[in-house]
């Protein structure tokens, strides 16, 4: 019996392969059984349903032919008549399967080669599954390996029990690797692909720097100091925002270390990348001012809705704040998540002067007043005719040189102007064909309806089909640069919450959704009954009182 004679050697081979490939012994034995099944089919016929079993303790191999029990046999290689089957298995029924033992086979050269291919394939698949399962849970870790080869700028890294790749765009610029070099990188993705699991490493990922600091700074590892955000221009400069939950520990000093030892260890790993360590603050303005270091900031003006900030710096600080090729402001923007516009004090003064002149001219035209009156209104902070029309009269009467009569006259002229403007806009709305029913949507003004009409939004269904982004615009950030896409109502200062409310109101009026869909009934509260001064839940008694 050629097959069973080498059963001890068979188990030894299975043990050796399992140890070498770091996979379960049962997988290797199952692969061998599959290989024997394939060889047996070549001996007894491919249509024969052969089942091979290997005893994991003794190594004994058994071969069986599986036959389906039928009333009348059409294929003797896969079926057996029920009468014949009941001679050996009295309890068998139609549709059952019975197993008949087959004599052991002697592997020929071709059968042995075919069996070897099956075993190699099965073992390779098991090894790939093991690699994927091992590394998919390690995403976000730093791994160490050895450079195996470099192909077209992509670095293939031997991790010991798997291969990984650092793509060319994930390596630090001007960084050269050679065969045998030790490399440390951030494991950022593991994918199961046709040719096996693909493990992707990165040395430019922001989290690579964060993990390096965690390794160098015990306070970060212990959770006393938290890294809030990281922005990198790989190989050149980076900014990292840190905060401490222990007021006695300086987060910046802890990250820098004694004589800069901790930060220098990270800088050395990142090929000399300069690192600015920024104290994080919950106050956006303070955080952004810190992020623009080493530049000094004179003033900031925030637009929280658009997450945009205007930063004013002294004239001599402008180039420092912007940085070489805009690097400093770009990294600060990535770090904080805000769009940052930088201007000098002179530019800000010129802009304020331009706004003052614009508002003065607006008041002169709308209120039919002389330049001095218009300038007084503008200098007191009035920016629109609506403000003049609807503020408390005292706010105008208290302006130097004005009295109550002047305030009443100015407000009367302002309201007259707004009424006239409203009539003109409503006429334009009708000419554009914007439906009257849209006026029923709370928050939509006539000027907004005109803007919508020019954008070909003319019916309730048209407006209901809009998204909030269509109305207020949106911003896309790519490679640290932000691009603003305006909305139909971009110039009206509509907030996202207001835009969502208006669109949902239109969908209700258009019949797309119901009020019940917007405000689902709250779950019934559990009735509570006081017992000895304590509250206990009272179970529902099947609807009985």
């Amino acid at each position: 019996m050629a097959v069973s004679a080498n059963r001890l050697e068979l188990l030894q081979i299975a043990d050796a392969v399992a140890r070498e490939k770091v996979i379960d012994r049962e997988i290797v034995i199952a692969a061998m059984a599959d290989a024997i099944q394939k060889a047996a089919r070549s001996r007894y016929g491919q249509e024969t349903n052969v089942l091979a079993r290997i005893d994991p303790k003794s190594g004994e191999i058994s071969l069986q032919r599986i036959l389906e029990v039928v009333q009348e046999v059409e294929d003797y290689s896969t079926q057996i008549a029920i009468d014949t089957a009941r001679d050996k298995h009295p309890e068998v029924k139609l549709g059952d399967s019975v197993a008949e033992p087959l004599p052991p086979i002697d592997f020929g050269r071709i059968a042995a080669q075919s069996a070897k291919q099956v075993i190699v394939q099965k073992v390779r698949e098991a090894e790939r599954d093991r690699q994927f399962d091992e590394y998919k849970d390690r995403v976000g870790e730093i791994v160490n390996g050895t450079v195996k080869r470099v192909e077209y700028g992509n670095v293939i890294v031997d991790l010991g029990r798997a291969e990984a790749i650092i793509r060319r765009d994930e390596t630090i610029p001007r960084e050269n690797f050679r065969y045998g070099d030790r490399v440390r990188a951030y494991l950022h993705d593991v994918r199961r692909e046709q040719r096996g699991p693909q493990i992707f490493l990165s040395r430019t990922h922001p989290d690579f720097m964060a993990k390096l600091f965690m390794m160098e700074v015990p306070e970060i590892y212990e959770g006393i100091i938290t890294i809030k955000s990281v922005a990198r221009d790989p190989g050149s400069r980076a900014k990292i925002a840190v905060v401490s939950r222990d007021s006695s520990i300086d987060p910046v000093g802890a990250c820098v270390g004694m004589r800069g030892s901790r930060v220098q260890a990270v800088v050395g790993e990142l090929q000399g990348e300069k690192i600015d360590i920024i104290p994080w603050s919950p106050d956006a303005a303070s955080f952004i001012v810190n992020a623009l270091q080493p530049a000094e900031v004179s003033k900031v003006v925030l637009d929280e809705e658009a997450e945009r900030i205007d930063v004013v710096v002294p004239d001599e600080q402008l180039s420092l704040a912007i940085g070489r090729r805009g690097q400093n402001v770009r990294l600060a923007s990535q770090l904080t998540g805000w769009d940052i516009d930088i201007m000098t004090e002179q530019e800000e003064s010129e802009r304020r002067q331009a706004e003052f002149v614009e508002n003065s001219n607006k008041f002169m035209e709308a209120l039919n007043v002389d330049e001095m009156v218009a300038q007084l209104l503008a200098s007191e902070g009035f920016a629109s005719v609506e403000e003049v029309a609807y503020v408390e009269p005292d706010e105008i009467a208290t302006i130097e040189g004005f009295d109550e009569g002047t305030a009443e006259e100015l407000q009367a002229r302002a309201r007259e102007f707004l009424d006239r403007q409203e009539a003109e806009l409503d006429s334009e709305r009708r000419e554009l064909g914007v439906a009257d029913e849209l006026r029923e949507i709370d928050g939509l003004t006539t000027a907004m309806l005109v803007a919508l009409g020019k954008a070909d939004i003319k019916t309730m269904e048209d407006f209901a089909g809009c998204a909030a982004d269509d109305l207020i615009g949106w911003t896309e950030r790519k490679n640290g640069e932000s691009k603003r896409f305006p909305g139909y109502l971009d110039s009206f200062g509509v907030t996202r919450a207001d835009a969502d409310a208006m669109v949902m109101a239109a969908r209700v009026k258009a019949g797309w959704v119901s009020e019940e869909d917007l405000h689902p009934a709250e779950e019934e509260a559990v009735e509570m009954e006081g017992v000895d001064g304590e509250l206990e839940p009272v179970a529902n008694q099947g609807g009985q009182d």
Side-chain angles (χ1 to χ4, degrees):
M1 300 221 325
V3 173
S4 59
N6 296 321
R7 59 178 182 267
L8 183 60
E9 183 181 351
L10 199 69
L11 292 181
Q12 290 174 343
I13 292 171
D15 290 337
V17 172
R19 282 195 303 272
E20 181 185 349
K21 301 298 184 180
V22 197
I23 57 178
D24 289 341
R25 177 174 180 266
E26 289 77 9
I27 294 176
V28 180
I29 292 176
M32 289 178 167
D34 287 343
I36 292 170
Q37 280 181 192
K38 185 174 182 180
R41 284 199 185 98
S42 65
R43 169 70 175 78
Y44 293 109
Q46 293 296 333
E47 67 280 358
T48 306
N49 188 6
V50 178
L51 177 64
R53 285 196 178 96
I54 300 176
D55 190 311
K57 294 182 179 178
S58 66
E60 191 70 43
I61 299 173
S62 61
L63 292 176
Q64 294 177 316
R65 179 172 63 175
I66 308 300
L67 299 171
E68 182 186 2
V69 179
V70 295
Q71 189 70 44
E72 186 175 345
V73 176
E74 295 179 359
D75 184 353
Y76 284 93
S77 62
T78 59
Q79 297 174 336
I80 184 172
I82 187 168
D83 295 336
T84 307
R86 281 178 174 169
D87 292 342
K88 297 180 181 179
H89 308 281
E91 302 297 327
V92 77
K93 300 189 292 292
L94 282 173
D96 288 351
S97 295
V98 296
E100 286 190 348
L102 292 173
I105 61 173
D106 188 5
F107 287 105
R109 182 178 63 82
I110 296 176
Q113 188 67 23
S114 175
K116 179 183 176 182
Q117 288 176 354
V118 171
I119 293 173
V120 169
Q121 179 64 25
K122 293 286 185 181
V123 169
R124 184 179 293 126
E125 289 175 0
E127 187 179 14
R128 287 172 175 175
D129 289 340
R130 189 266 306 161
Q131 287 179 359
F132 180 79
D133 292 338
E134 177 181 349
Y135 284 96
K136 71 179 174 61
D137 296 327
R138 296 184 63 186
V139 171
E141 294 182 11
I142 288 181
V143 295
N144 296 292
T146 307
V147 175
K148 198 169 184 180
R149 61 187 183 276
V150 179
E151 299 175 347
Y152 306 106
N154 301 319
V155 183
I156 311 302
V157 180
D158 183 2
L159 299 179
R161 296 197 297 192
E163 271 189 9
I165 182 171
I166 309 177
R167 291 179 297 195
R168 182 168 54 186
D169 59 339
E170 297 288 349
T171 59
I172 296 173
R174 300 180 301 280
E175 188 173 45
N176 294 315
F177 291 104
R178 296 180 180 177
Y179 172 78
D181 287 350
R182 296 288 298 171
V183 62
R184 182 189 290 181
Y186 177 79
L187 199 164
H188 74 94
D189 194 15
V190 179
R191 302 176 196 163
R192 193 192 292 274
E193 296 186 0
Q194 186 106 17
R195 60 182 185 275
Q198 296 296 298
I199 302 170
F200 295 96
L201 307 181
S202 172
R203 286 177 56 80
T204 62
H205 200 286
D207 286 344
F208 182 44
M209 175 182 287
K211 292 291 183 180
L212 289 174
F213 268 103
M214 184 178 291
M215 295 169 66
E216 296 294 336
V217 183
E219 292 86 348
I220 296 177
Y221 180 79
E222 293 167 3
I224 299 172
I225 294 174
T226 303
I227 297 174
K228 285 291 189 176
S229 57
V230 179
R232 292 184 64 191
D233 194 348
S236 176
R237 192 171 181 181
K239 291 178 183 285
I240 179 169
V242 293
V243 65
S244 173
R245 59 184 179 90
D246 186 340
S247 58
S248 65
I249 295 178
D250 173 24
V252 176
C255 292
V256 171
M258 186 70 69
R259 297 180 182 177
S261 58
R262 292 174 175 177
V263 71
Q264 284 304 318
V266 178
V267 169
E269 178 64 40
L270 299 177
Q271 304 297 311
E273 191 171 315
K274 296 177 182 177
I275 302 174
D276 295 335
I277 303 173
I278 309 297
W280 180 85
S281 171
D283 177 52
S286 300
F287 182 31
I288 292 166
V289 169
N290 292 338
L292 284 169
Q293 291 177 3
E296 297 176 4
V297 176
S298 303
K299 188 172 74 171
V300 296
V301 180
L302 282 82
D303 181 353
E304 294 188 2
E305 179 65 29
E307 289 195 344
R308 191 175 194 86
I309 185 169
D310 293 334
V311 176
V312 181
V313 299
D315 293 5
E316 66 276 7
Q317 292 280 317
L318 181 63
S319 59
L320 189 61
I322 295 175
R324 184 180 180 185
R325 295 178 182 173
Q327 185 184 65
N328 191 54
V329 68
R330 183 174 68 253
L331 290 177
S333 180
Q334 291 177 21
L335 190 74
T336 60
W338 286 67
D339 291 332
I340 301 175
D341 284 340
I342 294 183
M343 64 184 74
T344 64
E345 292 174 342
Q346 181 180 352
E347 289 172 339
E348 195 244 351
S349 176
E350 291 173 353
R351 190 181 71 170
R352 289 179 59 188
Q353 184 62 31
E355 289 177 356
F356 177 79
V357 171
E358 181 183 352
N359 290 337
S360 298
N361 291 334
K362 185 194 309 177
F363 293 140
M364 288 169 62
E365 180 181 351
L367 306 178
N368 193 23
V369 295
D370 59 26
E371 186 177 7
M372 181 179 293
V373 174
Q375 289 178 352
L376 282 171
L377 289 171
S379 63
E380 288 295 323
F382 289 97
S384 68
V385 179
E386 286 82 357
E387 290 181 28
V388 176
Y390 299 112
V391 297
E392 291 295 326
D394 290 347
E395 291 191 34
I396 300 175
T398 53
I399 298 175
E400 187 176 354
F402 288 5
D403 55 22
E404 292 182 6
T406 305
E408 291 175 2
E409 177 63 23
L410 288 174
Q411 288 196 311
R413 293 186 183 185
R415 289 167 184 165
E416 182 183 343
F417 170 79
L418 293 175
D419 290 342
R420 189 166 61 250
Q421 188 180 59
E422 177 73 12
E424 292 172 356
L425 288 170
D426 196 48
S427 175
E428 186 176 0
R429 172 190 68 82
R430 289 195 296 270
E431 289 178 6
L432 289 168
V434 179
D436 290 342
E437 59 182 350
L438 282 173
R439 296 169 65 97
E440 300 171 9
I441 303 294
D442 288 341
L444 275 182
T445 65
T446 308
M448 292 179 187
L449 293 177
V450 171
L452 290 173
K454 291 178 179 177
D456 207 28
I457 307 295
K458 300 181 179 181
T459 66
M460 190 67 74
E461 286 73 17
D462 291 342
F463 190 69
C466 292
D469 283 349
D470 295 328
L471 303 182
I472 63 173
W474 68 96
T475 301
E476 291 183 3
R477 188 185 295 273
K478 187 176 182 181
N479 299 326
E481 300 293 333
S482 296
K483 185 176 180 181
R484 171 73 181 167
F485 295 86
Y488 306 141
L489 307 180
D490 209 34
S491 60
F492 295 95
V494 177
T495 65
R496 180 168 293 276
D498 290 341
D500 284 331
M502 289 190 290
V503 169
M504 291 311 297
R507 290 174 182 174
V508 171
K509 290 183 181 296
W512 293 10
V513 294
S514 65
E515 288 287 354
E516 288 72 21
D517 295 330
L518 299 180
H519 308 288
E522 296 182 359
E523 295 182 4
E524 293 185 4
V526 177
E527 296 181 6
M528 305 298 288
E529 182 180 84
V531 178
D532 295 335
E534 295 183 355
L535 293 176
E536 293 185 354
V538 177
N540 191 332
Q541 301 296 323
Q544 296 178 356
D545 294 334

